[in-house]
Structures are given as C-alpha cells and as structure tokens.
Amino acid sequence: MPPVGIIFILALGLITIFLSVVTVQQGTISITTIFGKFRRILRPGLNFKIPFIEKVFKRISVQNRSSELGFQAVTIDQANVNFTAMLLYSVLNSDEETIKNVAFKFIDERNFMQALVRSVEGSVRAFVATKKQSEVLVLRRDIVEAVKDQLDRTLEDWGYHLIDLQLNDITFDEEVMRSMAKVVASNNLKSAAENEGQALLITRTKAAEAEGNFIKISAQAEKDASQLKGQGIALFRQEVARGMAGAAKEMEEADLDSSLILFSMWTEAVRNFAQEGKGNVIFLDGSVEGMQKTMKDMMAINQLNNIDSNKK
C-alpha cells in the first residue's frame, strides 16, 4: 500500500487541477477576482485560473435579451395612455471596460432591470407629455427614436445598448376610447355626406349638360330642316314658274291663248284639293267671277315674269 502522504499529495494535486480549470459557455464572459478585486475576464472555452485565491465573480451573457413592460403616460390634454412595450437590449461589446461596467455598476440583475425599465418609462412619459391624445397613435416610431436618443448615452455608461423598443399596444381609458370612436364615426358620416353630395352634384350637372346638348342638337336639326324645306319650296316655285313661262311661250308661238294653261292649272288644283284634302275644309271661290279673277292674277304674274326675262 502506498503511504498516506503520497495519497494526500495526489488528492491535493487533483483538487488543484480541478479548481484551476474554468469552462466558459459560448455567448458568455466570466469575470474573476482576487480577494474581491477585479482580476481579468475569461472568454468562451477552456480557461485556467489561480486555484484557491482567484474566483469567478460573475458570468455575463453577451446575447440579446428581452423584457416586457407595461406603464401609463399622460398627454398634454390630460388623457391617460396605456403602453405595452417590449425591450430588446444587449451588452454593448466584449471589451474589458464594458464588461467591468456591466459587472460592477449594479448590485445584481434585478436592480439593473429596475433602472432600465424606469428610464424607459420616464423617457416615454416625457415625450408623450408634449403631445395631444390625437397625435400619440401616429407617433409610435417617433416615440421609439426619442427614447433611444435619450437612453443611449446612459446605457453605454452601464455597458449596455438598447437595440429596439417595440410599442406593441397603445390604448386610452375607456371613456376616451368611446369619445374617439364617436369622433371617428361623425367624421365618417360627414365624409360620406360630402361624397354623396358631390356625386349628386356631378350626376345632376351631367344630366343638365346632356339635356342642354340634346336641346341644342334638336334646335340645330330643326333649323337645318326648316332651311332645307324652305329651299325646297323655293326651288319648287322656281321650277313651276319656269315651266309655266315655257308653256305660255310655246302657246304664243303656236298662236294659242295662254289662258288655257291657267284654266288647266286651276282645274288641276281644284281636283288635287278634293283628292288630297283628307277631310280638311278648304274654301275656294268656285264662281265664274272668282275663276276669272284668279286667272287674271296668274296672267299678270306671267307677264311680269316675261318682262323680267326680257330685261335679262
């Protein structure tokens, strides 16, 4: 059997080796102290320390961390706003000074979280206190940027960095929410009424324009028809006059009385009146004197036409 002293030395050596080995997990940095004073930082992997006198004081995670919080703020018009937020933060970097700040600025993690949450709440309240309730809902990104601007320097002194602040929910008191709903509803009704009025105005305007264009086109068509009708009647009369003049001239050359033409036209006219009258009452002087008067008038017109023809 080996002596007791050798066994003791071997056991002491094994304990010394065991106490000298430190394993640091990935994403974590360890801090060692000697007699309570900072000694050094240990990186991830296998590390060695002085046994018995060098101790691992704290293990610090350099990974991203998150925390949820809820708080209330008051707007400039005295409306209570309830916030539900999520903080995303991490250790600023792995430098020795940064790690020392993280390890020794606060007694423990609980005190750090309390300071961080209260700082975020204070920054949000200070920003919201300068805004009206109607502005808060659309200033989500502005609130986040304002908080980050105010806290970045403070958190750097603590060894941390605020990566993001997500305002997941922004709500008002129930009474304020009801009043806001009424305002939105009334604005929607107002917009609907305005849109309906504009639509009705456009419809009636277009209808009036269409009616005006229809009347204008109808009047123009009627005018054109009247002009064409008048021109047709004038041409008809000109052709009748030319025909009568030509017939009278031929009868004079044949040594015939031209009044025969007029008598024939008179009898044809009376016959046409009787056939085409369609029940209308037409008064004609059918006496011999009336016929003679009509024939004299027509002969006078014929003579005037002959005089005009000779002048030309």
Side-chain angles (χ1 to χ4, degrees), residues 75 77 79 81 131-137 172 176 179-180:
T75 63
D77 50 357
V81 188
K131 306 298 179 182
K132 295 182 179 180
Q133 66 172 18
S134 58
E135 300 174 331
V136 173
L137 292 177
F172 297 90
V176 176
S179 63
M180 291 177 65

Side-chain angles (χ1 to χ4, degrees), residues 224-250:
D224 294 342
S226 299
Q227 289 178 348
L228 293 174
K229 183 177 180 180
Q231 292 175 1
I233 294 173
L235 290 173
F236 171 75
R237 290 176 177 175
Q238 290 177 2
E239 292 300 323
V240 170
R242 289 193 186 97
M244 290 175 62
K249 185 175 181 181
E250 290 179 359

Side-chain angles (χ1 to χ4, degrees), residues 11-204:
L12 182 62
L14 291 174
I15 293 173
T16 301
I17 294 173
F18 177 77
L19 293 176
S20 299
V21 175
V22 178
T23 301
V24 180
Q25 297 294 329
Q26 187 68 37
T28 305
I29 294 179
S30 296
I31 295 177
T32 64
T33 59
I34 295 180
F35 302 118
K37 183 179 179 180
F38 173 77
R39 166 67 177 160
R40 58 180 173 145
I41 62 175
L42 304 179
R43 305 290 179 179
L46 182 63
N47 296 269
F48 295 93
K49 66 181 179 65
I50 302 173
F52 301 107
I53 62 173
E54 188 177 10
K55 296 181 178 180
V56 175
F57 173 74
K58 185 179 289 187
R59 296 179 185 271
I60 299 174
S61 174
V62 294
Q63 296 174 311
N64 293 341
R65 286 179 276 181
S66 64
S67 177
E68 289 188 354
L69 63 152
F71 55 93
Q72 190 178 81
V74 181
T75 63
I76 194 173
D77 50 357
Q78 302 302 309
N80 293 326
V81 188
N82 301 306
F83 290 92
T84 300
M86 191 275 289
L87 292 175
L88 184 63
Y89 64 98
S90 68
V91 174
L92 183 61
N93 52 53
S94 300
D95 296 342
E96 183 176 301
E97 259 330 291
T98 301
I99 301 302
K100 287 172 65 176
N101 288 333
V102 173
F104 299 110
K105 284 287 184 179
F106 295 92
I107 296 176
D108 53 25
E109 185 72 16
R110 178 176 172 276
N111 283 272
F112 164 71
M113 283 303 304
Q114 185 178 14
L116 176 61
V117 170
R118 293 294 182 266
S119 298
V120 172
E121 291 178 0
S123 298
V124 173
R125 289 188 178 116
F127 183 87
V128 172
T130 62
K131 306 298 179 182
K132 295 182 179 180
Q133 66 172 18
S134 58
E135 300 174 331
V136 173
L137 292 177
V138 296
L139 295 177
R140 190 185 301 261
R141 176 52 54 186
D142 295 339
I143 294 174
V144 172
E145 292 177 354
V147 172
K148 291 187 68 176
D149 290 341
Q150 293 183 21
L151 291 184
D152 272 346
R153 185 177 298 276
T154 301
L155 290 178
E156 286 179 8
D157 292 339
W158 297 347
Y160 289 92
H161 169 58
L162 180 62
I163 299 174
D164 193 14
L165 170 64
Q166 296 182 9
L167 299 177
N168 300 322
D169 195 13
I170 301 176
T171 59
F172 297 90
D173 290 343
E174 185 176 352
E175 185 177 351
V176 176
M177 294 294 289
R178 284 199 300 266
S179 63
M180 291 177 65
K182 290 180 180 179
V183 171
V184 172
S186 62
N187 288 335
N188 289 339
L189 290 175
K190 180 181 178 182
S191 299
E194 290 177 352
N195 292 335
E196 185 177 357
Q198 290 292 335
L200 182 60
L201 177 61
I202 293 172
T203 301
R204 292 186 175 180

